[in-house]
């Protein structure tokens, strides 16, 4: 596929301006949703499309509409022909996937399933799978179709296949791991808060009586008791008062706590102090990962062509004008589209900043080869062969043999081919058959730099002083004074407690008798702590917190950019099952075993 395609006319420019909107309109027709037209002017295009590329993209639109018409008319032969043409034109652009059109076909399958047309739904799903092979979206759509048709086992299998597909993609895996981190962090904080609550339930009465006794002499008894209660509960009046109250209580119970208890309290404080910054860091990374430009980069790295690709890449280019990684990716994309001259210029820009970038050397040499400049091609291939690792060096030697053949230097060509075979004979055998039309091998490693582009965008937005949201608990200017006040009051309560010198009393006996068993079943951690088993109490609270944090993680989770991706609803079911399992396990352990928590 060797096209220079530098000719641009006024009609082509007009078609370029409306191209991605036309594709979006075709997809919107499939989804029965009107296309949205942006009102803001678009930035300068990162990729200037040539006339041949515009022709192919226009044919994609026409063939997609043809497939839709054939599908709704139940003309299987015409639909199959249109689908084959769609895929052939995508391959002509060097791309293997059409994700948006695949989603349109999946939507058609869902409508057919809702109408009870199982065969038509099945054919639409097959088309969706061919348009975007191995896509999680197709797997989730298959699960929905099977569920609508009452086929639950295939629906579950397809849904699990979709989840496995999400884990195989870097962006979705990053978001899923971020959601998992949110869940674990929330569980640890809830367990720590529960631990402090148990500490206060066991020691709060002693603290209250001690403080009241210490100030009772100058004050009436009722006033002293009210003052002591206010001294222990006042943080609840602050914004996010429950969180502040737990932190304050953790300081109050510190003097009476044992070594293990103090270790748990210290870890809880570290987590509480670090959580706002951890959340902000994760939020910033997720916002960058879900930005349109990054989503398009991830899509094109998988060989996908989506509407809005070129406008979103232009916006990303405006944000990262100096990014070598993005320049390398755009060079690869231009080369895949057959726009050899723009690709060559971009590869040379990459090599100005990264002279030892072996994939860029190989691909730049391929561009020189395709324009007939074999001497420059040989120069770049030699540099790649000298600096490259085994695979890249093999490709460089193979390309050298092709360039020497074009110059009728067959002896040199034979020697370079033998060097390539010594490095990777199997790869050379494949290249001889696969690149018969293009003659040379390209590596296309710029498409693999999406993670680097994402990190650069994060740095650029931070440098620009973007309005990143801050966590509420520690974001205010009063945080440090409040923490200082906490410490002073905790020291004062400890001093008043020592001054009172009151004897510890056992916890009130309201739960004794018939409620004893249910107290042990329904209060995980409390009974264990009451008998001094603080390690067991922590584990019980952690198990409870892991269940309670599941719905919380569902509410705070970063959205997976996939239709029908796993959402928050299954988390409520899992949380309910987990809580029920904890109650049953504790009931089985403690029912009729007396009063011991051991």
């Amino acid at each position: 596929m060797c096209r220079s395609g530098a000719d641009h006319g006024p009609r082509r420019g007009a078609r370029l301006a409306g191209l991605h909107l036309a594709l979006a309109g075709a997809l919107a027709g499939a989804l029965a949703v009107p296309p949205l037209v942006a009102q803001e002017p678009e930035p300068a295009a990162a990729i200037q499309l040539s006339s041949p590329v515009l022709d192919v993209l226009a044919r994609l639109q026409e063939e997609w509409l043809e497939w839709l018409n054939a599908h709704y008319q139940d003309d299987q032969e015409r639909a199959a022909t249109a689908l084959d043409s769609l895929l052939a034109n995508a391959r002509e652009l060097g791309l293997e996937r059409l994700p948006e059109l695949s989603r349109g076909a999946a939507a058609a399958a869902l409508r057919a399933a809702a109408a009870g047309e199982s065969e038509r739904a099945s054919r639409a799903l097959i088309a969706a799978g061919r348009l975007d092979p191995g896509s999680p979206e197709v797997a989730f759509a298959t699960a929905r179709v099977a569920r609508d048709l009452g086929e639950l086992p295939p629906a579950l299998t397809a849904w699990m296949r979709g989840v496995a597909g999400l884990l195989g993609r870097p962006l979705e895996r990053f978001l899923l791991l971020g959601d998992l981190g949110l869940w674990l962090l929330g569980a640890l904080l809830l367990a720590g808060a529960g631990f402090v609550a148990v500490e206060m339930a066991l020691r709060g009465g002693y603290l209250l009586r001690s403080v009241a006794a210490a100030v009772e002499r100058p004050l009436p008894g009722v006033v002293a008791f009210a003052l002591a209660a206010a001294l222990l509960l006042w943080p609840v009046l602050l914004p996010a008062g429950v969180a502040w109250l737990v932190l304050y209580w953790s300081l109050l119970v510190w003097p009476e706590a044992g070594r293990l208890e103090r270790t748990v309290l210290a870890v809880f404080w570290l987590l509480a102090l670090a959580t706002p910054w951890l959340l902000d860091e994760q939020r910033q990374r997720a916002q960058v990962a879900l930005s349109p430009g990054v989503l398009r980069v991830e899509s094109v790295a998988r060989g996908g062509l989506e509407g809005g690709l070129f406008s979103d890449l232009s916006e990303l280019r405006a944000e990262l004008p100096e990014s070598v990684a993005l320049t390398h990716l755009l060079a690869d994309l231009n080369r895949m589209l057959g726009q050899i001259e723009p690709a060559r210029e971009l590869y040379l820009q990459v090599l100005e900043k990264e002279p030892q970038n072996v994939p860029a050397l190989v691909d730049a040499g391929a561009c020189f080869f395709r324009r007939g400049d074999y001497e420059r091609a040989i120069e770049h291939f030699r540099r790649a062969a000298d600096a490259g690792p085994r695979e890249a060096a093999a490709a460089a030697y193979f390309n050298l043999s092709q360039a020497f053949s074009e110059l009728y230097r067959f002896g040199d060509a034979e020697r370079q081919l033998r060097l390539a075979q010594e490095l990777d004979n199997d790869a050379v055998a494949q290249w001889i058959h696969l690149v018969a039309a293009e003659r040379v091998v390209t590596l296309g490693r710029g498409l693999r730099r999406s993670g680097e582009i994402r990190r650069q965008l994060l740095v650029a937005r931070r440098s620009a002083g973007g309005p990143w949201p801050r966590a509420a608990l520690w974001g205010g200017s009063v945080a440090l004074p409040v923490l200082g006040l906490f410490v002073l009051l905790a020291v004062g309560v400890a001093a008043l407690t020592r001054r009172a010198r009151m004897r510890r009393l056992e916890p009130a006996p309201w739960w004794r008798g018939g409620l004893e068993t249910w107290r042990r079943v329904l209060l995980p951690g409390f009974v264990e702590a009451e008998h001094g088993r603080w390690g067991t109490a922590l584990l019980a609270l952690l198990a409870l917190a892991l269940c309670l944090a599941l719905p919380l993680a569902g509410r705070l989770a970063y959205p997976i950019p996939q239709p029908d991706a796993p959402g928050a609803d299954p988390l409520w079911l899992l949380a309910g099952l987990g809580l029920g399992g904890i109650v049953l396990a504790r009931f089985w352990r403690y029912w009729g075993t007396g009063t011991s928590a051991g």
Side-chain angles (χ1 to χ4, degrees):
M1 182 174 61
C2 178
R3 300 189 297 267
S4 60
D7 55 325
H8 300 274
R11 292 181 58 196
R12 302 300 185 192
R15 288 174 66 185
L16 169 61
L19 179 61
H20 76 278
L21 292 177
L23 287 174
L27 176 60
L31 298 175
V33 177
L36 300 178
V37 180
Q39 300 298 321
E40 298 181 1
E42 294 184 356
I47 296 182
Q48 297 292 336
L49 299 180
S50 63
S51 296
V53 174
L54 287 169
D55 287 336
V56 174
L57 292 173
R59 289 202 302 271
L60 284 174
Q61 175 192 353
E62 295 166 1
E63 288 153 2
W64 169 246
L65 294 174
E66 175 71 10
W67 182 88
L68 280 178
N69 290 329
H71 169 75
Y72 287 117
Q73 295 172 9
D74 207 15
D75 189 337
Q76 300 181 33
E77 183 177 353
R78 188 156 60 98
T81 301
L83 183 61
D84 291 338
S85 298
L86 273 171
L87 296 172
N89 280 284
R91 286 191 291 270
E92 188 175 346
L93 295 175
L95 299 167
E96 298 292 334
R97 302 173 183 271
L98 297 170
E100 283 190 341
L101 301 188
S102 174
R103 290 193 284 270
L110 291 173
R111 285 195 296 275
E117 301 173 346
S118 58
E119 293 185 4
R120 183 178 295 183
S122 177
R123 290 194 296 271
L125 286 175
I126 292 173
R130 291 188 62 192
L131 289 168
D132 195 2
S135 166
E137 297 99 317
V138 177
F140 290 130
T142 302
R144 284 190 59 188
V145 167
R147 185 190 63 192
D148 292 344
L149 296 175
E151 302 171 353
L152 296 183
L156 179 60
T157 301
W159 188 85
M160 293 176 64
R161 189 168 64 249
V163 173
L166 290 180
L167 293 175
R169 291 185 174 183
L171 174 61
E172 285 80 356
R173 186 168 59 246
F174 163 77
L175 293 172
L176 287 172
L177 290 176
D179 295 339
L180 176 63
L182 279 177
W183 171 53
L184 293 177
L185 180 61
L188 290 173
L189 289 173
L190 284 176
F195 193 86
V196 173
V198 169
E199 288 270 8
M200 201 63 180
L202 293 176
R203 298 191 169 99
Y206 168 71
L207 292 175
L208 180 64
R209 292 191 304 272
S210 298
V211 174
V215 298
E216 189 175 11
R217 182 171 301 176
L219 298 174
V222 176
V223 175
F225 190 85
L227 180 61
L231 190 59
L232 298 184
L233 297 174
W234 71 270
V236 78
L237 301 177
L238 297 172
V242 175
W244 286 114
L245 182 65
V246 171
L247 294 175
Y248 179 58
W249 280 357
S250 67
L251 288 176
L252 295 183
V253 300
W254 179 274
E256 301 294 326
R259 180 179 300 177
L260 176 60
E261 300 165 67
R262 290 185 176 184
T263 301
V264 174
L265 293 174
V267 172
F268 173 67
W269 263 90
L270 290 176
L271 283 176
L273 290 171
T275 291
W277 282 273
L278 291 174
L279 292 178
D280 284 339
E281 176 71 16
Q282 187 71 2
R283 186 183 297 113
Q284 292 175 24
R285 291 180 181 276
Q287 287 177 352
V288 168
L290 293 171
S291 62
V294 172
L295 290 176
R296 296 298 176 264
V297 165
E298 296 285 349
S299 177
V300 78
R302 295 192 298 268
L305 174 64
E306 300 190 56
L309 169 66
F310 305 112
S311 60
D312 289 336
L313 286 180
S314 298
E315 294 178 0
L316 185 60
R317 182 69 164 173
E319 283 196 83
L320 299 174
E322 303 298 326
S323 171
V324 180
L326 181 56
T327 302
H328 196 176
L329 181 140
L330 294 175
D332 283 351
L333 182 56
N334 272 285
R335 177 182 50 75
M336 291 164 57
L337 295 175
Q339 302 185 152
I340 303 304
E341 189 60 27
R344 182 188 65 83
E345 295 176 358
L346 290 169
Y347 283 128
L348 293 180
Q349 293 178 23
V350 172
L351 293 173
E352 287 179 5
K353 301 290 183 64
E354 299 176 352
Q356 299 302 312
N357 188 325
V358 175
L361 284 169
V362 171
D363 294 347
C367 291
F368 282 111
F369 181 95
R370 292 173 184 174
R371 67 183 297 211
D373 192 346
Y374 301 117
E375 295 293 344
R376 295 288 300 277
I378 289 172
E379 173 191 345
H380 285 79
F381 293 148
R382 284 193 183 280
R383 289 171 57 188
D386 293 338
R390 184 182 185 88
E391 179 187 358
Y397 283 124
F398 177 83
N399 289 351
L400 279 170
S401 72
Q402 302 295 85
F404 282 129
S405 294
E406 293 294 330
L407 295 175
Y408 303 102
R409 295 168 58 179
F410 299 112
D412 291 333
E414 182 65 24
R415 282 191 293 273
Q416 301 302 322
L417 184 59
R418 284 200 301 269
L419 289 172
Q421 290 172 331
E422 290 174 3
L423 290 174
D424 198 338
N425 187 53
D426 293 338
V428 171
Q430 293 179 2
W431 293 336
I432 291 174
H433 293 91
L434 293 178
V435 300
E438 300 180 5
R439 299 294 309 280
V440 291
V441 176
T442 54
L443 298 179
R445 299 298 171 77
L447 298 175
R448 302 184 185 181
R449 302 181 72 170
S450 57
E452 186 178 348
I453 293 170
R454 187 167 64 240
R455 291 189 294 272
Q456 291 175 351
L457 184 60
L458 177 64
V459 172
R461 291 189 176 181
R462 286 175 173 171
S463 300
W468 299 110
R470 302 299 301 175
L473 182 59
W474 305 108
S477 59
V478 299
L480 288 179
V482 168
L483 292 176
L485 181 60
F486 277 9
V487 174
L488 290 176
L489 290 177
V491 172
V493 169
L496 291 174
T497 303
R498 286 195 300 270
R499 177 183 173 185
R501 296 179 180 175
M502 293 193 64
R503 181 177 63 85
R504 288 183 178 275
L505 298 178
E506 293 297 323
W510 62 269
W511 54 68
R512 302 302 185 190
L515 295 177
E516 175 65 15
T517 297
W518 290 107
R519 181 178 71 92
R520 287 180 285 158
V521 171
L522 299 178
L523 296 177
F526 184 84
V527 176
E528 292 84 353
E530 188 181 29
H531 291 81
R533 300 173 59 86
W534 288 100
T536 307
L538 179 62
L539 293 177
L541 290 169
L542 184 58
L544 179 65
L546 287 171
C547 297
L548 295 176
L550 274 173
L552 177 64
R555 293 181 58 189
L556 299 178
Y558 305 113
I560 306 298
Q562 304 282 350
D564 300 311
D569 292 341
L571 300 181
W572 287 95
L573 176 61
L574 291 175
L577 292 175
L579 291 173
I582 290 174
V583 171
L584 288 176
R586 295 181 66 83
F587 186 83
W588 180 266
R589 179 179 182 184
Y590 292 124
W591 179 257
T593 60
T595 60
S596 173

